Amino acid sequence: RNSLHFQPRGSSMPRFALLDSAVDGARVRAALAYEFDDGDTPDSVDLNPALEFIVGSRDVARGLDEAVQGMVVWETKELAFGTDNPLFGARDEEAVVEVPLEVVRGRQVGDLVSAGDDHDGATGMLRSVGPTSASVDLNHPLAGKGVSVRLTLLHCEEALAAGV
């Protein structure tokens, strides 16, 4: 693979190499534009227009990680993730859990809340409050939604050890 190596003069900072394409282990920055099939993006969701991650590290949705592999800087891909293969995972009704009222005291329906110790402190959307318990949805807010994504690779580098 082709690369250019840089290290600031007189610096002990690690060298890095700019890569010509995204491969496993490369640090990449990608711009993203989303368009949902149903035209609706929940207010509670913050969709980052740019992501920086290590390819193959599972830091981002698998579909994005797989799509960026082999791309060259400034290449753009149009991706479609239908409801049969949603980018943010399938909805799982078993991930809607009941929690004691004290876990959500002072919170309102629609708030993001911790589901408490019984659910490893997972965070979810407060869906309803009953007389003795509350319902918390631990699914990703966009689970099950179809989405089209425009993915543009902005930067690609490989981190090298300082002495290399």
Side-chain angles (χ1 to χ4, degrees), residues 25-48:
R27 177 182 307 280
V28 298
R29 187 170 39 255
L32 303 160
Y34 304 89
E35 185 175 323
F36 290 89
D37 293 354
D38 64 7
D40 183 36
T41 304
D43 293 337
S44 62
V45 178
D46 181 21
L47 293 173
N48 195 340

Side-chain angles (χ1 to χ4, degrees), residues 12-93:
S12 62
M13 293 182 61
R15 291 173 48 167
F16 65 93
L18 295 178
L19 299 175
D20 58 358
S21 65
V23 296
D24 266 353
R27 177 182 307 280
V28 298
R29 187 170 39 255
L32 303 160
Y34 304 89
E35 185 175 323
F36 290 89
D37 293 354
D38 64 7
D40 183 36
T41 304
D43 293 337
S44 62
V45 178
D46 181 21
L47 293 173
N48 195 340
L51 293 176
E52 188 167 313
F53 60 97
I54 305 296
V55 178
S57 66
R58 300 180 190 211
D59 287 340
V60 296
R62 185 179 69 220
L64 295 178
D65 196 30
E66 291 172 354
V68 78
Q69 292 194 31
M71 288 179 70
V72 297
V73 175
W74 296 113
E75 180 180 353
T76 297
K77 283 186 178 179
E78 301 286 338
L79 311 169
F81 299 94
T83 55
D84 58 331
N85 181 32
L87 178 62
F88 299 98
R91 273 201 59 75
D92 178 3
E93 291 309 317

